[in-house]
Amino acid sequence: MAGAELAGLAADRRRPRATEVEQHGIGTIPDAERSSRPFDLFRIQFGGANTFATVILGTFPVLLGLSLVQAVLATVVGVLVGALFLMPMGLFGPRTGTNNAVSSGAHFGVRGRVLGSFLSLLTAFAFYSISVWVSGDALVGASTRLFGTGDSDLLRGVIYALLGALVIVVVVYGYQFMLLVNKVVVVANTVLILLGVVAYASVFDLGYDPGPGAYALGSFWPTFVLSALIVMGNPVSFGAFLGDWARYIPRGTSTGRLLLATLGAQLATLVPFLFGVATATLVAGEVDYVFALIQASPIWYAVLLMVVAFLGGMSTGITSLYGTGLDFSSVFPRLSRVQASLVIGAVAFVFILVGRLVFDLLASVNAFVGLIVICTTPWMVIMAIGYWVRRGHYDAADLQVFNEGRRGGRYWATAGTNWRGMAAWVPSAVAGLLFANYPPLIAGPLRDVAGGVDLSLLVSIGLAAVIYVALLFAFPEPRYVFGPDGPRLVPAADLPLPPVVDDPRASAHRTGRRGAQPQAPEPTSAPAPTGGDQR
């Protein structure tokens, strides 16, 4: 492309105002509207995790009985391992122009990609709930300390409702407003959290160690592994959502820059994680970490914690809820993005009230994080392998056929489901649950085969990788799903490309509503080779 044409394209890209309600659903984002950069991907990830929700996950290693040094090591391991699995998930959006659940249709089928929608829903409920729970509790604790309001279920419920409603308002406005909020949170919460070094300097104990008798699972290694897995749940939770934001990054953006944006964002989350580790040692043994920490804080820092809680609750809640509302507007075609966001938000708020006021918070968090790690990680592994063998080649138009009430195309596979991906994911997730040990709510029958060390992650990702690669060799995919350079390493089958036709069973209004959204019909890279692969 000539320099003048590139300059014109850049000039045509206009970043919408934050106060403009986003009109796009999961349809392909046109090139002219892809105004984000890899740095925006960094900011929105770090902003979404630079919150009290992440701080709470950081307290788990200490709550489970590790010493300060052991807890720090478990946290670093969890963040690094989780980041390595997460990094490839930022590559899909710029190439497909849509979110990761829809992009997964290339490997699970355009109907089978509903699995990604389910995983995003699971993650959204978990982290939206955690963010509102924890931030609400922090505000209750601070108001009790500062104004003597006292603690009650009614007060907590009112604050939960206010936080939850504010999150939904931002989600309704959409991506640009969410990006603005995260720009603020990245800077503000980092500064406020780092001020904790000053606030707790006189009472912090670098030698904190409750001793071997405190290990929650009876011995060091089982407790250490569980702690690292809980921490890992945070980066893994972004797997289903990175495409929500990366789809606004221009196609052709450097792969290295995208990978580094995600790695850098996850490494930056060590700020809130290690804040949680350090402060958990100050209130070890207390039932309510947030409430106890505020009571133990200098009065000036208790005030700042209210700001951290509010900004953090907004940021985590927004990044969790936005993607699910976006995706379920396609799964349930009667709902627009805004309507789907409102429905999911309302259901999630009911879950917040029941989960916080009826069940044990820590047990609920532990169980949800376990499900996210066990179920989402093998899905990410399959996606990453699929990306590699296809050399990052995707047809943006064919990924949208199900959303537009049509059928056929490159990713139709068998009745809309690619059984290769499904046949690899199902046994890996089930096996992971059998080996899982996230007490007290998740305790698989095979959890003790390694002396109590949780093998669920190794089992689930190992099975997913082995089964999926084996199926790609035993049952080659059609040549038309690969790019002009053909498949990498795996074989391909010469089969006719199914034509894209209207699906008579689809609701007539679906095509109309989707058709109103700007689409980019051209593929994301060079067209398929000539021959039997063409429509």
Side-chain angles (χ1 to χ4, degrees):
M1 182 179 291
E5 292 175 313
L6 283 173
L9 182 59
D12 288 340
R13 287 197 180 112
R14 182 185 70 87
R15 185 185 293 269
R17 294 189 301 272
T19 53
E20 292 182 30
V21 176
E22 182 182 6
Q23 299 302 311
H24 290 295
I26 44 72
T28 309
I29 303 298
D31 286 334
E33 297 185 36
R34 299 192 188 187
S35 56
S36 290
R37 300 165 296 162
F39 185 61
D40 292 321
L41 184 62
F42 167 89
R43 275 194 301 208
I44 206 164
Q45 286 184 73
F46 181 35
N50 193 26
T51 67
F52 250 119
T54 305
V55 169
I56 282 292
L57 294 180
T59 67
F60 270 82
V62 173
L63 297 179
L64 292 172
L66 296 182
S67 70
L68 176 63
V69 174
Q70 293 165 347
V72 168
L73 183 58
T75 301
V76 172
V77 170
V79 169
L80 283 175
V81 174
L84 291 176
F85 282 106
L86 177 64
M87 287 166 62
M89 303 309 292
L91 302 178
F92 292 90
R95 291 177 179 268
T96 64
T98 188
N99 68 348
N100 280 359
V102 175
S103 298
S104 73
H107 308 293
F108 291 87
V110 291
R111 285 178 173 169
R113 66 89 174 168
V114 173
L115 169 62
S117 303
F118 163 75
L119 295 175
S120 70
L121 178 64
L122 175 67
T123 304
F125 270 31
F127 280 85
Y128 176 64
S129 300
I130 293 171
S131 66
V132 174
W133 279 337
V134 176
S135 299
D137 288 354
L139 292 175
V140 169
S143 64
T144 298
R145 171 87 183 273
L146 300 174
F147 311 117
T149 57
D151 187 8
S152 68
D153 288 344
L154 176 61
L155 178 61
R156 289 179 185 251
V158 170
I159 291 180
Y160 293 161
L162 290 174
L163 284 171
L166 286 172
V167 167
I168 292 174
V169 168
V170 177
V171 167
V172 165
Y173 274 98
Y175 172 75
Q176 295 298 334
F177 202 165
M178 180 173 65
L179 186 59
L180 175 62
V181 170
N182 280 280
K183 286 179 181 178
V184 175
V185 172
V186 164
V187 177
N189 267 14
T190 300
V191 172
L192 295 175
I193 288 175
L194 290 177
L195 282 174
V197 176
V198 178
Y200 305 121
S202 62
V203 293
F204 185 63
D205 179 14
L206 285 171
Y208 173 83
D209 187 353
Y215 293 140
L217 299 186
S219 58
F220 170 72
W221 282 113
T223 306
F224 181 88
V225 171
L226 175 60
S227 299
L229 288 175
I230 291 174
V231 170
M232 183 180 166
N234 192 69
V236 168
S237 71
F238 283 91
F241 297 128
L242 285 194
D244 301 342
W245 320 312
R247 68 197 182 118
Y248 280 98
I249 297 175
R251 72 178 86 228
T253 299
S254 165
T255 297
R257 293 179 64 199
L258 292 169
L259 293 174
L260 286 176
T262 295
L263 177 62
Q266 296 308 316
L267 291 178
T269 65
L270 287 172
V271 172
F273 265 121
L274 295 181
F275 178 86
V277 171
T279 53
T281 66
L282 304 178
V283 294
E286 297 290 341
V287 175
D288 191 327
Y289 159 78
V290 177
F291 194 91
L293 180 63
I294 289 176
Q295 306 312 309
S297 301
I299 191 68
W300 64 270
Y301 198 65
V303 174
L304 294 182
L305 285 177
M306 293 181 69
V307 180
V308 174
F310 175 75
L311 292 177
M314 289 288 292
S315 184
T316 299
I318 291 164
T319 52
S320 300
L321 203 59
Y322 170 80
T324 301
L326 176 70
D327 194 56
F328 269 73
S329 66
S330 66
V331 177
F332 300 101
R334 291 184 179 277
L335 302 177
S336 67
R337 181 191 67 82
V338 173
Q339 292 169 333
S341 298
L342 292 172
V343 170
I344 295 297
V347 174
F349 180 69
V350 173
F351 175 78
I352 288 171
L353 292 180
V354 174
R356 181 62 181 90
L357 302 179
V358 177
F359 296 104
D360 177 74
L361 173 60
L362 295 181
S364 301
V365 171
N366 202 13
F368 265 112
V369 170
L371 287 174
I372 290 168
V373 170
I374 294 168
C375 295
T376 304
T377 309
W379 179 79
M380 293 164 60
V381 168
I382 292 168
M383 290 274 285
I385 293 173
Y387 181 97
W388 188 80
V389 300
R390 296 191 188 178
R391 305 177 190 271
H393 175 87
Y394 295 95
D395 186 307
D398 279 8
L399 285 170
Q400 297 288 342
V401 295
F402 173 69
N403 308 324
E404 297 171 348
R406 299 183 294 164
R407 58 190 301 163
R410 285 173 171 78
Y411 310 120
W412 185 250
T414 304
T417 300
N418 190 327
W419 58 268
R420 298 168 187 83
M422 284 294 186
W425 180 82
V426 171
S428 63
V430 171
L433 290 172
L434 293 176
F435 283 87
N437 188 19
Y438 290 81
L441 298 181
I442 299 180
L446 302 178
R447 64 187 182 278
D448 293 325
V449 297
V453 175
D454 192 314
L455 298 179
S456 58
L457 179 63
L458 290 176
V459 170
S460 61
I461 62 176
L463 276 180
V466 170
I467 294 175
Y468 187 54
V469 171
L471 290 175
L472 292 179
F473 274 96
F475 304 95
E477 292 188 297
R479 192 172 303 279
Y480 54 71
V481 303
F482 301 100
D485 294 330
R488 178 182 280 133
L489 185 64
V490 299
D494 291 311
L495 298 171
L497 176 63
V500 176
V501 297
D502 289 336
D503 188 346
R505 294 175 298 178
S507 301
H509 74 275
R510 177 189 292 212
T511 302
R513 185 167 65 81
R514 295 295 170 202
Q517 299 179 5
Q519 298 291 334
E522 70 275 5
T524 59
S525 53
T530 57
D533 297 341
Q534 300 299 307
R535 282 193 184 92

